[in-house]
Amino acid sequence: MTGGFANPGLVADSIVDLCGALGLAVAMATLRRRDPRGALARRFLVAMGLVAALFLLRALGWWSGSVLLGRLALACAALFPLGALTVTEGMLRRHAPRPVKIAVLAGSLLLVLAGLLGFDEPGRTYDLALAGFQLLTIAFCGLLLFRRDQASLTVSENTSVWRLGLCAFLILPFALSDFRELLPGLPVRLGGVGALLLVSILLVTGGAAPARRQRFAMLSLRVVAALLLGLAAALVTPDAGFAHAARLCAVALAGVLAIALAVDALSSAFDAEAPGILDSLARSRAQTREALIAQLATHPLFGSARRLDEAGLADYDPAILRPALHGIGVLHASGRGWPWPATDPAAERLAALMASHAASHLLVLGEAPLDLLLVTVPVVSADPATETALALVRRLLATAPSEAAA
């Protein structure tokens, strides 16, 4: 459509769609990296690719005024129900009824052909047909998921089916907002926002419950922050009405979600290229405690680590420290979690020991005789993941045979 730059609504729609395409592309790359050869992953990639292509072609068509790009975008939208059905079959590990598969295939092809031939020009009739076809197909996919044979699926598969169905239901209003001919009063299309929310939720639902809650909290913070940013931008805009505020909120939310997906994907890729502490030890062929510590010395956290035996602890009364450290794994220099009061002789000596070596953590590798490892963790690296890694490293080192004992 020409004159798109002068139409605030069209500009907002274009930005939201471009962000949606970017976020879906990032999610596809993440899914491919997690499961490069999985059959279900390939089905998801096809469905997500159709939606990403729809957003990209539609936005480019609006900005360039190209009729061909607009029709290709409609073709992608018409093929999406077919992609949704294939994903549903993959989730259930069952084929859909043959008549339904034929009807969905025929409907998709007819709508693709009608869009390419320009029968969408009247607008409302084609939009009604496309919206009805998509809703009926998604509703049938939801029925298949709801009436599935739960005994034929694993617990994790049943959980994934439930989450996918819930997310698809929640983003349905966002998808309907894309049909401007049916809902002409909406100030901005929200299909891109709905797609970004869907992939963001799906990507944070894995893992243990505590980690999942943390990721949901981060996602909620991003959503709230983006909406507040959009409202703040509306407040500084003179005479901004509801429609303009809604567009700013949609653009801010789409941008924040797309950037967050890209940053998370890059962070995961960088972490995979640079093995962490536990990865290094898991791949190590070292057989003794000394060899493991020598390998750990190549890691930044352990580059300045100091190992002390009873001879090196002579100034700190090993006879007092030995019984006090019985059953202790890791101590933090702050005194957090110490089982002794600050005035206890053992606590005073341990505090002095860690202060003299500027150590943030003390790892007890052996008790008889004492074998301690003092580690300095920078403040920027002191997070729960590092604390957990230190505890696991200490356990691995403590169970490894020592050359002196051998």
Side-chain angles (χ1 to χ4, degrees):
M1 178 183 296
T2 58
F5 289 96
N7 188 333
L10 199 57
V11 172
D13 290 343
S14 302
I15 296 174
V16 170
D17 275 10
L18 289 175
C19 290
L22 172 61
L24 285 170
V26 172
M28 291 170 63
T30 301
L31 186 60
R32 183 176 179 83
R33 178 170 52 82
R34 292 181 178 180
D35 190 8
R37 298 182 180 179
L40 181 58
R42 287 197 295 269
R43 293 171 184 257
F44 268 105
L45 289 175
V46 171
M48 294 167 65
L50 286 172
V51 181
L54 161 64
F55 290 148
L56 180 61
L57 291 172
R58 189 168 64 179
L60 294 178
W62 286 332
W63 284 80
S64 64
S66 171
V67 176
L68 177 60
L69 292 179
R71 292 178 178 176
L72 290 176
L74 286 177
C76 293
L79 288 173
F80 174 72
L82 185 60
L85 184 62
T86 59
V87 169
T88 301
E89 289 182 326
M91 295 286 290
L92 298 177
R93 290 193 274 118
R94 296 287 188 277
H95 285 289
R98 187 177 180 85
V100 174
K101 295 176 69 172
I102 294 175
V104 173
L105 177 60
S108 294
L109 293 180
L110 286 175
L111 286 171
V112 168
L113 184 61
L116 292 178
L117 293 178
F119 288 102
D120 63 303
E121 288 301 330
R124 188 173 182 82
T125 302
Y126 186 87
D127 280 356
L128 279 173
L130 180 58
F133 180 61
Q134 289 184 347
L135 287 176
L136 286 175
T137 305
I138 293 175
F140 182 78
C141 291
L143 182 63
L144 289 179
L145 294 174
F146 178 74
R147 299 183 61 183
R148 69 189 182 278
D149 180 11
Q150 298 189 24
S152 65
L153 303 177
T154 65
V155 175
S156 61
E157 286 175 330
N158 279 305
T159 303
S160 298
V161 167
W162 180 84
R163 288 172 181 162
L164 179 62
L166 178 62
C167 290
F169 175 77
L170 292 177
I171 69 165
L172 192 58
F174 295 91
L176 289 176
S177 70
D178 277 6
F179 296 94
R180 184 59 61 83
E181 295 292 337
L182 304 181
L183 300 171
L186 291 179
V188 60
R189 291 178 171 90
L190 298 174
V193 173
L196 289 168
L197 286 173
L198 175 61
V199 296
S200 298
I201 292 173
L202 291 179
L203 290 178
V204 303
T205 53
R212 194 163 58 244
R213 286 194 295 268
Q214 292 174 1
R215 290 193 289 268
F216 267 118
M218 292 177 61
L219 177 59
S220 301
L221 178 61
R222 289 168 178 170
V223 171
V224 173
L227 294 177
L228 291 176
L229 179 62
L231 289 175
L235 290 176
V236 300
T237 303
D239 301 325
F242 171 78
H244 190 67
R247 295 184 189 112
L248 290 175
C249 288
V251 169
L253 181 56
V256 168
L257 290 177
I259 293 171
L261 286 170
V263 170
D264 291 344
L266 281 176
S267 178
S268 298
F270 291 154
D271 290 342
E273 292 178 0
I277 303 172
L278 298 179
D279 292 332
S280 300
L281 290 182
R283 300 173 186 176
S284 174
R285 296 185 179 181
Q287 300 296 321
T288 64
R289 186 180 300 170
E290 286 72 17
L292 287 172
I293 293 176
Q295 182 168 347
L296 280 174
T298 61
H299 193 278
L301 288 182
F302 290 87
S304 59
R306 180 75 181 275
R307 185 183 182 189
L308 297 176
D309 56 11
E310 293 211 2
L313 295 169
D315 295 336
Y316 300 94
D317 295 328
I320 295 177
L321 297 181
R322 194 181 303 113
L325 291 175
H326 178 70
I328 300 296
V330 180
L331 291 177
H332 196 281
S334 65
R336 183 178 67 248
W338 286 27
W340 327 276
T343 56
D344 187 271
E348 292 177 347
R349 285 161 174 77
L350 288 170
L353 171 64
M354 299 180 74
S356 63
H357 292 279
S360 62
H361 294 75
L362 183 148
L363 281 60
V364 182
L365 310 183
E367 298 177 7
L370 280 178
D371 189 1
L372 307 181
L373 188 67
L374 298 171
V375 182
T376 302
V377 177
V379 174
V380 294
S381 302
D383 55 13
T386 302
E387 298 284 342
T388 302
L390 287 175
L392 293 175
V393 166
R394 177 262 162 192
R395 179 168 293 187
L396 289 173
L397 294 176
T399 56
S402 175
E403 292 179 357

